Amino acid sequence: MDVPLWIWLAVLAVILVMLAVDLFAHRNAHVIGVREAAGWSAVWVALGVAFGAVVWWQAGSEYGQQYFAGYLIEKSLAVDNVFVWAIVLTYFAVPREYQHRVLFLGVLGALVFRGVFIAAGSVLIASFSWVLYLFAAFLLVTGVRMARQRDEHLDPERSRALRAFRRFVPMTDAYHGQRLVVRVAGRLVATPLLAVLVVIEVTDVVFAVDSIPAIFAVTDEPFLVFTANAFAVLGLRAMYFLLADLMHRFVYLKAGLALVLVWVGVKMMLKVDLFYVPTTISLAVVATIIGVSVVASLRATRGQGRAPVAAGAAAPFRVASAEETAALEPTWRRQRQRVGTTGEGRDER
């Protein structure tokens, strides 16, 4: 698939424009409700599907199906990412009106890291075809481990990234609006919101290690791998606000995701030297596994309403008062003394 440079630049421009629109629409901190989240989710899904339709129209059905298979895999694995976000944000007691900003920055970082991983993976596969065996084995092991540990969840308190952050970075005990750093007593210190961002970025890197090899199982075209990842990741924030309070209902989804990873691992191993599973079959299998796991989950938990992730006994951080925030020193610019207003520092002639 020969993709001219201008198409890459055009796609990146569309992504940046949409990020700017999203940031402008949420420039004022506010609690995002279900209706708003559903609207934005529809926008992001429509954008991803529309791009896939363009690929299908311009490059043919094979590449179109590869894009949609990759997009579906990434979107499905993203649901598990959303659940981890819910645990992290609940543990840190992040006020709901500040959550969009930290997730926006988290997604921005995720796009950069995944772009680097995709570039590195493409180079490795082009240079050493045997790397596909390593990817396949990794996916099989990850799928089996996910199935066996499907009832286990992240414990932010045991996060190595959080422990390292607390050890090396001075931090306040209070949120000061949407600020990541503040200046106290002449020294820059992090707010808990920056710690949240670091933990979210680290968890996304961990998820990317699983999802990037998975999408290489259905397409080895870097352009399709990147765009499927990008359009799936762009909708993560809206998906979080839509599904975070419903995660307890997706009881079989993790088992379905584990089966998807095993399937794409087997497919990748077969396609190296033995047999290429047609993309149509791959897309149908992934869609069936995810569809069945979601439907079975919703049927098993019907009648249950929305319920947020349970918080700890005591919130580890608090929200600063208006007086505390107003008393903060300027973050990036110190007040300069006005020289010469009283005659000091001027030559007398």
Side-chain angles (χ1 to χ4, degrees):
M1 186 178 185
D2 186 18
V3 181
L5 178 61
W6 72 267
I7 293 182
W8 278 95
L9 295 177
V11 171
L12 291 175
V14 169
I15 292 173
L16 292 175
V17 168
M18 291 303 299
L19 286 172
V21 170
D22 188 14
L23 184 61
F24 179 79
H26 299 91
R27 61 191 182 279
N28 296 322
H30 66 281
V31 176
I32 297 179
V34 175
R35 179 176 297 181
E36 182 180 356
W40 276 101
S41 293
V43 169
W44 293 120
V45 170
L47 186 63
V49 172
F51 183 82
V54 172
V55 171
W56 195 305
W57 172 46
Q58 292 292 325
S61 60
E62 175 62 23
Y63 288 129
Q65 290 178 75
Q66 288 181 17
Y67 167 84
F68 279 114
Y71 179 78
L72 182 58
I73 289 173
E74 293 300 321
K75 203 71 172 175
S76 303
L77 292 174
V79 177
D80 200 27
N81 206 349
V82 164
F83 184 65
V84 171
W85 283 0
I87 294 175
V88 171
L89 295 176
T90 300
Y91 168 79
F92 281 95
V94 181
R96 292 185 70 91
E97 60 267 28
Y98 304 153
Q99 291 179 2
H100 181 274
R101 178 61 57 86
V102 71
L103 293 181
F104 176 89
L105 295 174
V107 166
L108 198 60
L111 289 173
V112 174
F113 284 122
R114 288 177 184 240
V116 173
F117 288 167
I118 291 168
S122 299
V123 171
L124 285 175
I125 292 173
S127 304
F128 312 100
S129 59
W130 52 265
V131 170
L132 290 175
Y133 282 118
L134 296 181
F135 283 178
F138 176 77
L139 290 171
L140 290 172
V141 172
T142 302
V144 172
R145 186 176 68 246
M146 182 181 289
R148 296 179 61 181
Q149 301 175 351
R150 60 185 180 275
D151 295 326
E152 298 181 13
H153 306 300
L154 171 74
D155 183 1
E157 184 62 39
R158 298 173 59 186
S159 169
R160 294 179 181 177
L162 178 59
R163 289 202 298 267
F165 185 89
R166 283 176 164 172
R167 180 178 180 182
F168 296 107
V169 180
M171 185 173 66
T172 68
D173 66 343
Y175 294 102
H176 292 272
Q178 300 187 89
R179 301 181 187 184
L180 300 179
V181 293
V182 294
R183 188 178 294 278
V184 178
R187 185 178 66 159
L188 282 177
V189 295
T191 70
L193 210 59
L194 182 58
V196 175
L197 178 60
V198 170
V199 174
I200 285 177
E201 292 290 7
V202 171
T203 57
D204 186 76
V205 168
V206 174
F207 277 102
V209 171
D210 295 341
S211 64
I212 299 302
I215 195 172
F216 272 116
V218 294
T219 179
D220 53 6
E221 295 292 340
F223 181 73
L224 298 181
V225 175
F226 175 75
T227 51
N229 257 276
F231 286 112
V233 168
L234 284 172
L236 273 180
R237 295 178 313 288
M239 183 187 294
Y240 165 78
F241 291 109
L242 184 64
L243 299 180
D245 293 347
L246 294 174
M247 296 309 301
H248 63 286
R249 297 197 58 186
F250 294 96
V251 292
Y252 300 125
L253 181 60
K254 204 156 189 176
L257 296 177
L259 191 55
V260 167
L261 290 178
V262 171
W263 161 250
V264 295
V266 171
K267 179 185 183 300
M268 179 177 284
M269 191 168 291
L270 289 175
K271 87 170 187 177
V272 178
D273 293 311
L274 299 176
F275 175 71
Y276 176 75
V277 179
T279 306
T280 304
I281 296 177
S282 297
L283 181 58
V285 170
V286 172
T288 300
I289 292 173
I290 298 302
V292 169
S293 63
V294 170
V295 171
S297 297
L298 296 179
R299 286 179 60 87
T301 59
R302 60 177 176 268
Q304 297 183 20
R306 303 183 71 89
V309 176
F317 303 105
R318 62 187 179 85
V319 177
S321 66
E323 291 76 14
E324 288 177 304
T325 300
L328 291 174
E329 302 171 26
T331 304
W332 301 115
R333 294 181 303 173
R334 296 188 177 185
Q335 295 287 346
R336 295 181 178 179
Q337 292 184 346
R338 301 172 64 89
V339 179
T341 55
T342 62
E344 298 180 13
R346 291 186 295 180
D347 293 332
E348 295 291 336
R349 294 187 179 178

